[in-house]
Amino acid sequence: MKYALIALALVVQVSPYRAEIQKFRDNRATEIGAETGWIALTDLSWLDKTGDFTIGRGAANQIVLKAPSAPERLGMLNVTDTAVSLQPASGAPITFRANRPIAEAFTLGGMKMSLIERAKRRALRVWDAKAPARVAFRGLHWLPIDEKWHIDAKFEPHTPAPIIKIQNIVGQIVDMPNPGAVVFTVGGKAYRLEALLEGPDEQELFFMWKDGTSAKTTYGSGRYLYTPLPKNGRVDLDFNRAMNPPCAFTTFATCPLPPAANRLPIDVSAGELDYHK
C-alpha cells in the first residue's frame, strides 16, 4: 500500500498539464522579479511640458528619481514636441524612442530608463535592480491548479471588429480592437467575456475581467488572461493562467481596466492571488 501511494504521488507530480501550468507560473515569477520586472519599477515621470529639465536622485532636480542607483545629478533631459533626449552628466547624449524594447533602454549601473507613450502622453519609466520592492520579492501566490477551470470556450466573432474605448488606471482612454467574445459554461450556466487585442497585429486574445473574488482574494481591479487566437471557432480558455495586472505590483504601471461587460457574477477560483494579500 505504501508503494502504491508513492507511485500515485509521482504520477500526480508529472501530470503533463499540471507540469505545464507550474512551468508557466515559475516563469512568471522569474519575469516579475527580474531586474526589469514590474516589481523593479521605481519611477514613472510624465513629460507633459517641453523644455530642459535636470534629472537625478537629488531633491534639487526638476525631475527627482527614486531609483536607488540613480546619481544625485544624472544630467539634463530635453523634451520637445517630437523628441526626448538625455544629456548625461558624463557620456554621450541619447535620444529616447517611445515604446522600444527594454534592451534599448538607457542603462546606468543597476538602473534602466526608457520612454513610453500612453494616449499621446509620454513618460519616463525607470527600473532599478536595487528597488526595495524587488529586494523584498519572494515570489507569487496562486490558487491550486484545478482542471475545472481549463475550459473549451465558443468564440463568437464581431464582424467587423469594433474599436472600444478602455480606461486605464491613470484615467486615460485607450482604443482597443474587440474581435469577438467567448461563451463558456461553469456549473451548468453560460457566461460571456469580451476579447480584446492589445494591438491590431497581435497573435493572442486578451481578456480583462472582474469576478466575485476581486478585492477579496484576488486583485481588486481585476485580472488578465492571454489565450491563443480562436481555432475552428473555439478558444482554449485556461483560468489557471489568470494573472494580476502590472498595477498589482507597482504604482508606476498604466494598466487598462476591464470593460463593463466583463463583470462575471461568479467566483473564478483559479489563477493568481492578490500579491499583497
Side-chain angles (χ1 to χ4, degrees), residues 3-217:
Y3 295 111
L5 291 173
I6 293 173
L8 177 61
L10 289 174
V11 169
V12 170
Q13 289 174 4
V14 299
S15 163
Y17 173 73
R18 295 180 67 87
E20 177 186 341
I21 297 301
Q22 190 58 55
K23 181 178 179 180
F24 166 82
R25 294 178 174 188
D26 292 343
N27 289 342
R28 176 162 166 78
T30 298
E31 291 172 1
I32 294 295
E35 291 187 3
T36 52
W38 292 111
I39 209 80
L41 279 175
T42 60
D43 300 89
L44 185 68
S45 300
W46 294 99
L47 307 176
D48 294 326
K49 296 181 180 180
T50 58
D52 294 322
F53 306 92
T54 57
I55 182 171
R57 188 168 172 80
N61 290 289
Q62 292 162 296
I63 298 176
V64 179
L65 300 178
K66 297 183 179 68
S69 301
E72 286 293 302
R73 176 65 64 86
L74 174 59
M76 184 72 70
L77 194 73
N78 175 256
V79 182
T80 71
D81 289 334
T82 58
V84 175
S85 59
L86 172 69
Q87 176 61 64
S90 61
I94 177 173
T95 298
F96 291 102
R97 297 171 62 195
N99 302 324
R100 303 303 296 173
I102 294 175
E104 298 182 21
F106 170 78
T107 300
L108 181 67
M111 184 188 77
K112 290 183 182 292
M113 178 186 299
S114 70
L115 185 69
I116 66 169
E117 185 172 329
R118 299 290 185 271
K120 299 182 179 180
R121 291 180 72 198
R122 295 170 296 177
L124 279 180
R125 173 172 278 168
V126 181
W127 299 262
D128 199 309
K130 298 179 181 177
R134 180 174 185 265
V135 172
F137 183 65
R138 295 295 181 270
L140 304 175
H141 314 291
W142 300 85
L143 285 155
I145 298 169
D146 185 347
E147 294 197 39
K148 163 190 172 181
W149 293 103
H150 185 197
I151 300 170
D152 177 35
K154 179 184 177 183
F155 184 71
E156 296 184 347
H158 299 325
T159 307
I163 302 296
I164 64 175
K165 296 189 178 298
I166 298 292
Q167 181 176 324
N168 67 20
I169 203 164
V170 295
Q172 300 169 332
I173 302 297
V174 295
D175 293 335
M176 301 186 78
N178 174 212
V182 291
V183 177
F184 60 98
T185 301
V186 176
K189 294 184 179 180
Y191 301 95
R192 181 184 183 91
L193 282 176
E194 294 294 332
L196 301 168
L197 296 175
E198 291 191 299
D201 300 322
E202 290 292 335
Q203 297 302 303
E204 293 180 304
L205 295 180
F206 176 43
F207 295 92
M208 302 183 289
W209 79 93
K210 295 182 73 171
D211 63 78
T213 70
S214 301
K216 296 177 182 176
T217 57

